[in-house]
Structures are given as structure tokens and as C-alpha cells.
Amino acid sequence: RSLEVEPLHVCISRHLLNFGERSWLAEVRSGQARDLLPRLIEEVGERAAGLTFMDHRGTRFHDELHLFERLGLPAGSMDTICDNVLHPGAPVFLWEEARLSSNDGDGRCVGRSATVWSLPEFMAGGEGEIEDWMAFERYAPRPGRPGRSSGASARPAAAAPTARREAA
């Protein structure tokens, strides 16, 4: 399922699904995540989200990830990809994810940690490229926040290696 705020994005996404004869595979909904996610949990159940791609104002990434957790949506190893991490920026998201990672004593990172890639901004225009960041992390429940269900596992998933450009 895709949650889109802009009506034009909804229209284009649905058109591309129809054009590719894949409309049976995906659904595009119009609205904000904070309004649509509670309905989604009723339809798909807990621990059903295996991939989250956030491509909007980065200042809300951490809030939406917290909402996913409160609703119990993340599967045990949900992958989260966030675009626009540098512009307009997601400092709280990066700070929280950097704090959640820890060392297991053997030099391996356990828990959650975001890997950040520097990429040129798409359609930036002009002669110079505008740098932006994209972040990836493998979900592991936060300590004391296993989701809605009391039986949810708090075992951390294997984390991707941490990039040097974490929380600035």
C-alpha cells in the first residue's frame, strides 16, 4: 500500500499501476500516515509491514516510525528507507537511531542503526548538484516498546553496518 498526500501523486501512482497491469498488486490511498495507519492495522493486522519507504519532509520520520511502533505494524525485521534526510533534514530521526545502536563487546553493532548514503538530489536543476541523504535501517523493537501486542519479540534484528555520517 502506498499512502500519498498529494492528489496528483495518487493519480500518477494509480495510473502507473494500471499501465503496468499491476493494480491488483498494490493500492494507493490518499491522506496522511497519521490518519491512515490506524485503519491499516485493522485491515492487515499486527507485524505486517515489511518495508517502509518515507519520502516527504524528513522532520516527521521519527514521529511516523513511533506511530508504526505504537500500532504494532512493524514486522520483526522491517526495512525502513528514508529520503530527504539532509534537506529538509531529519536530525531527530538520525539522533534517535544512532542512540539505539550499541556494541555487543565483539565490535559488532546490535540493535538499530541507520546507514546513510549521500546522493545528488533528483531534479535539483542548475549546474551544481545539491547533496541529499538517504537512510536505511533494519527495524528492531526499541527496548520497552515491543508494539501493541504483549507477545511481540524484543529480539534485535541484525543491523546494517553504520555509516560515518550518522547523527550530525
Side-chain angles (χ1 to χ4, degrees):
R1 290 182 172 88
S2 177
L3 311 179
E4 301 288 345
V5 174
E6 296 292 329
L8 180 61
H9 294 169
V10 172
C11 183
I12 291 171
S13 299
R14 288 177 178 165
H15 177 74
L16 289 173
L17 285 170
N18 287 332
F19 186 70
E21 298 179 356
R22 297 294 183 259
S23 60
W24 58 273
L25 243 174
E27 180 181 0
V28 181
R29 295 190 181 179
S30 179
Q32 294 187 352
R34 66 177 178 229
D35 299 326
L36 297 175
L37 287 177
R39 284 192 252 163
L40 189 61
I41 190 76
E42 294 172 6
E43 295 172 19
V44 298
E46 291 184 359
R47 301 177 59 79
L51 172 70
T52 303
F53 178 73
M54 299 185 203
D55 183 17
H56 51 65
R57 273 188 41 218
T59 55
R60 295 193 327 252
F61 292 155
H62 66 287
D63 289 335
E64 291 182 1
L65 192 55
H66 290 177
L67 179 58
F68 261 79
E69 290 176 314
R70 281 194 309 272
L71 294 173
L73 275 167
S77 61
M78 177 180 79
D79 291 335
T80 301
I81 303 169
C82 300
D83 195 8
N84 304 317
V85 175
L86 181 59
H87 296 287
V92 176
F93 171 78
L94 289 175
W95 172 254
E96 286 188 1
E97 301 316 308
R99 286 187 358 209
L100 287 173
S101 62
S102 64
N103 192 304
D104 69 356
D106 292 330
R108 293 181 301 226
C109 185
V110 295
R112 290 169 24 185
S113 76
T115 301
V116 179
W117 289 280
S118 173
L119 302 167
E121 181 61 38
F122 178 71
M123 301 281 294
E127 292 182 23
E129 291 182 351
I130 297 175
E131 178 186 16
D132 201 355
W133 295 349
M134 185 173 275
F136 167 84
E137 79 171 2
R138 171 93 8 103
Y139 176 81
R142 296 172 193 273
R145 269 196 209 174
R148 272 187 353 178
S149 129
S150 59
S153 169
R155 189 184 75 214
T162 306
R164 297 290 168 234
R165 279 194 147 159
E166 288 181 342

